[in-house]
Amino acid sequence: FLPFGIDAVVIYLSARNGMLFWIYPLLATAGSVTGAAVTYWIGHKGGELGLERLIPSSRLERFRKRVQKGGAVAMAVPALLPPPFPLTPFVLTCGALKANRWIFFPTFAVMRLIRFGGEAVLARIYGRGVLRLLESDAFQRVIVGFIIVAVLGTILSAIMLWRSTRQ
């Protein structure tokens, strides 16, 4: 639910533990691919009819054309884009449109690794300045606020999903 969550953790840990900065992008990529696999599976099970309930028809048509034209690679490339880019619709669409998962997931993983790896390298280089910012009182308050918003947003999303399945 929180768009910058994983990125912030990768940056913080990479800046804090300079010798192990390389491991955090690997772990973040593994978690991201796992989450994408669940989302892909939900899209696969829901099919195109399920997508029509979740994604506006104009956007769905664009996704359909991209999968047909560029295949799974074109749909995995958005994994490189930083938040708040909405990645979930792309992954759901790939699942629903039965994109080749043997191409999609390796490409998705490479893109995520490039993104998280770039963040880790920059955090390693500029770590002291990043840590001063991240450990400031003002930033800590902002993070607590984001955590509260994320928890409330997750609860609200779960309630809305639960209500929509009962109708």
Side-chain angles (χ1 to χ4, degrees):
F1 183 81
L2 188 62
F4 292 104
I6 298 298
D7 298 281
V9 170
V10 168
I11 291 167
Y12 180 77
L13 292 174
S14 296
R16 192 154 180 100
N17 299 322
M19 298 302 288
L20 295 175
F21 81 97
W22 56 271
I23 200 165
Y24 303 118
L26 295 174
L27 295 172
T29 299
S32 185
V33 170
T34 301
V38 171
T39 304
Y40 182 96
W41 178 77
I42 290 170
H44 189 77
K45 291 297 180 188
E48 286 190 54
L49 294 176
L51 274 181
E52 292 171 357
R53 290 180 39 205
L54 298 172
I55 301 173
S57 60
S58 61
R59 184 179 267 182
L60 178 59
E61 189 57 36
R62 281 187 289 156
F63 291 155
R64 187 177 289 119
K65 287 178 183 175
R66 283 182 98 178
V67 168
Q68 291 169 350
K69 183 180 174 187
V73 173
M75 294 304 286
V77 170
L80 186 60
L81 300 173
F85 184 79
L87 186 61
T88 303
F90 284 93
V91 179
L92 273 172
T93 302
C94 282
L97 298 178
K98 315 289 190 271
N100 184 339
R101 61 182 170 247
W102 299 109
I103 296 172
F104 175 77
F105 283 110
T107 306
F108 184 87
V110 167
M111 294 298 137
R112 294 307 259 187
L113 188 58
I114 289 169
R115 175 175 153 190
F116 294 134
E119 293 171 349
V121 167
L122 290 172
R124 173 74 170 109
I125 293 169
Y126 300 107
R128 288 188 181 145
V130 170
L131 286 177
R132 267 194 307 277
L133 173 69
L134 295 178
E135 292 174 349
S136 70
D137 289 337
F139 190 80
Q140 296 295 321
R141 285 189 208 105
V142 169
I143 292 300
V144 168
F146 276 140
I147 290 170
I148 290 169
V149 168
V151 169
L152 292 175
T154 302
I155 291 169
L156 182 62
S157 296
I159 290 170
M160 289 171 55
L161 179 64
W162 180 71
R163 285 184 179 170
S164 72
T165 58
R166 294 190 71 210
Q167 295 176 353

